[in-house]
Amino acid sequence: MSSPATSDREKVVSKLPGWLRQNLKVRAAQHGIEIQKAVEQGITRWCRLASSPDPIDTAGADSFATFLPPGQWDEFRQIASQRGVSLAQGLAQSVQLWLDANPAPEIKRPAVTRRIIVCNQKGGVGKTAITAGLGEALAESADQLHPVRVAKQLQQALQAAEQGRHEDGDTVLVADPLEIENLPGPGLRVLLVDFDPQCHLTNQLGAAPLPMDGDSLTNHMGGNPKGDLRDLIVSVEPETFGDRLHLLPACNDAFLLDVRLSSVRAREAALERALLPLEDDYDVILVDCPPSLGLSMDAAAYYGRRRENEEAGRSGALIVVQAEDSSADAYDLLTTQIEDLRNDLALDIDYLGIVVNLYDGRRGFIATSSLQGWVDIKDPRVVGLVTDRKEQKEAVRVKRPLLSYAPNCDQSVSMRALAREVA
């Protein structure tokens, strides 16, 4: 039942039901504790009881190994024998005791609803895919484990891009596999706002664009609502995201938004006036912005500004680019527009970072040198690196959220890493 110790612990092998093992894995991850430490604490608690707790159904229990302090397993075996319970039953009771003493932590909800505007003045860089993927990652269940690329690995990859060079001076990104860790989801309530008249976000998630003769976000921003904006919101795959991920669909009437805003008083605040009544229902609101230099982008940037008593870096602009030259030109246009708005209205608009999307180092010098250019900016820093893979295109084709269609693919893993970088 035991074998020689590694380090200062000894390996022990018993049995544990699969459902209890899974609960232990999730709860230990939620509390940031090693499974072996949780089992140690549970056994210590069990051994100190005057008698055994109620029996646990151990049907179907299979092999379970862990490492415990020297002597603890022998003490546990002796007490189990005295109480007349099997080692598997005693271990199951110990694990359940630890679970009962360490309930799942409450979801940390922001004091002020976070507002993230996903933007760039260039179309085709993947703003919609990043908006959807980030929202999905933020809404994933806190009671399940999901594969995540740990944050330090992103920085190591970017440092590799910065330092690694061929003999001819070309920058390269080292393609070594990055460390993956299984972590609980953030479990946040997320609203995705399709602010683009092309309706890409709406279509990609399998929802229907709003009819031109009905109500829409444009109507509410223009001061002519036809009902409650909540009535337009749809839940995105509630069986996967537990009704935490919602979408405000787009309408083609958004093509006319700049014209309508031109006659609206305090037009920069039009998006905020429309969405403010919804904010109490959500922890994060992500706005998929159109590639526009017009009034609609001003309204989006204003909505993402830092509010009074809000911490810096909680809301703001998340800029999506590709590793090619036209993204850099569009980036300059966007930041100029934001800086003008900052100065004209004396606003604090934070940059949450740059996401380099659809990256493929095999495309050679253009891709690798462009990535180097984004890394060199430093402020805002690169917070996400998402590779160009087939799963995103497939998810769009079947109109499914990426993180439910292919939860373990490289892009899904990167979306979860991005969620933790901007959290």
Side-chain angles (χ1 to χ4, degrees):
M1 197 63 77
S2 64
S3 62
T6 60
S7 184
D8 60 342
R9 288 177 173 261
E10 61 180 357
K11 182 179 181 180
V12 299
V13 180
S14 183
K15 290 186 175 182
L16 201 64
W19 62 269
L20 192 54
R21 182 202 306 257
Q22 183 63 21
N23 289 346
L24 173 62
K25 288 174 61 177
V26 172
R27 193 69 55 79
Q30 289 173 335
H31 286 278
I33 185 175
E34 293 182 346
I35 290 178
Q36 63 183 18
K37 192 67 176 179
V39 175
E40 174 192 339
Q41 293 174 1
I43 289 178
T44 298
R45 182 179 290 268
W46 186 85
C47 289
R48 290 174 179 172
L49 295 176
S51 59
S52 294
D54 293 336
I56 290 176
D57 183 5
T58 59
D62 55 13
S63 181
F64 174 78
T66 188
F67 292 88
L68 298 174
Q72 186 181 44
W73 188 249
D74 290 336
E75 178 188 9
F76 170 74
R77 293 178 62 182
Q78 181 178 2
I79 295 175
S81 177
Q82 293 171 354
R83 294 177 182 173
V85 299
S86 68
L87 295 177
Q89 179 63 219
L91 181 60
Q93 292 175 4
S94 299
V95 169
Q96 189 60 55
L97 279 173
W98 184 85
L99 292 170
D100 294 341
N102 295 272
E106 293 186 5
I107 302 297
K108 295 181 179 179
R109 306 202 180 277
V112 178
T113 298
R114 300 183 62 195
R115 300 150 332 277
I116 300 175
I117 59 169
V118 184
C119 49
N120 196 339
Q121 304 304 353
K122 182 181 183 299
V125 296
K127 295 187 296 293
T128 298
I130 296 300
T131 303
L134 175 57
E136 293 160 24
L138 290 170
E140 282 190 312
S141 173
D143 295 325
Q144 297 178 13
L145 299 181
H146 314 274
V148 181
R149 179 167 296 132
V150 294
K152 65 180 180 180
Q153 297 295 322
L154 171 63
Q155 298 309 315
Q156 290 175 1
L158 297 177
Q159 288 170 7
E162 190 169 5
Q163 297 173 0
R165 297 181 182 275
H166 291 303
E167 290 183 359
D168 60 2
D170 293 350
T171 304
V172 296
L173 178 64
V174 178
D176 293 337
L178 301 180
E179 181 182 344
I180 305 297
E181 185 175 352
N182 290 318
L183 297 174
L188 299 178
R189 302 166 302 177
V190 178
L191 176 64
L192 305 175
V193 177
D194 193 345
F195 196 44
D196 189 335
Q198 299 176 87
C199 306
H200 290 319
L201 180 61
T202 301
N203 290 323
Q204 286 187 20
L205 294 177
L210 299 171
M212 289 284 287
D213 58 352
D215 201 9
S216 67
L217 178 59
T218 300
N219 288 339
H220 285 256
M221 292 179 65
N224 299 297
K226 297 182 179 181
D228 190 331
L229 206 55
R230 286 185 179 84
D231 295 337
L232 306 179
I233 292 173
V234 296
S235 183
V236 177
E237 206 163 300
E239 63 274 17
T240 300
F241 299 101
D243 202 31
R244 290 180 299 274
L245 182 63
H246 292 171
L247 168 70
L248 178 58
C251 178
N252 293 129
D253 67 356
F255 278 115
L256 306 173
L257 182 56
D258 279 7
V259 175
R260 296 180 66 173
L261 285 179
S262 64
S263 61
V264 172
R265 184 179 180 184
R267 53 182 176 260
E268 294 86 1
L271 181 60
E272 178 160 290
R273 287 196 297 268
L275 296 180
L276 193 60
L278 307 178
E279 290 185 4
D280 286 344
D281 299 333
Y282 299 99
D283 302 308
V284 184
I285 295 178
L286 290 112
V287 181
D288 183 25
C289 297
S292 166
L293 286 168
L295 298 178
S296 56
M297 188 59 217
D298 281 348
Y302 183 91
Y303 184 59
R305 80 193 187 286
R306 190 193 318 161
R307 292 179 181 168
E308 186 177 358
N309 298 324
E310 184 176 19
E311 293 181 18
R314 303 297 289 166
S315 297
L318 184 67
I319 305 173
V320 181
V321 301
Q322 288 185 12
E324 40 76 43
D325 295 339
S326 60
S327 281
D329 296 336
Y331 171 84
D332 290 338
L333 291 172
L334 172 65
T335 53
T336 297
Q337 182 176 7
I338 290 177
E339 291 306 316
D340 287 345
L341 196 64
R342 269 176 161 176
N343 296 330
D344 292 345
L345 299 181
L347 304 177
D348 289 318
I349 302 176
D350 295 327
Y351 293 109
L352 302 183
I354 296 171
V355 180
V356 182
N357 191 30
L358 300 174
Y359 179 77
D360 187 348
R362 295 172 300 180
R363 292 176 181 150
F365 175 71
I366 295 296
T368 56
S369 61
S370 295
L371 175 60
Q372 180 65 51
W374 296 120
V375 172
D376 287 343
I377 290 177
K378 305 299 184 187
D379 185 19
R381 67 186 179 91
V382 173
V383 294
L385 181 65
V386 181
T387 53
D388 188 3
R389 297 288 186 268
K390 64 182 178 64
E391 286 84 2
Q392 175 64 55
K393 298 179 180 67
E394 293 173 351
V396 170
R397 174 65 63 87
V398 299
K399 299 184 183 300
R400 291 275 309 280
L402 171 67
L403 271 67
S404 65
Y405 173 76
N408 298 319
C409 75
D410 183 75
Q411 289 170 319
S412 292
V413 171
S414 296
M415 294 297 184
R416 296 186 185 104
L418 172 62
R420 284 157 177 79
E421 281 289 310
V422 302

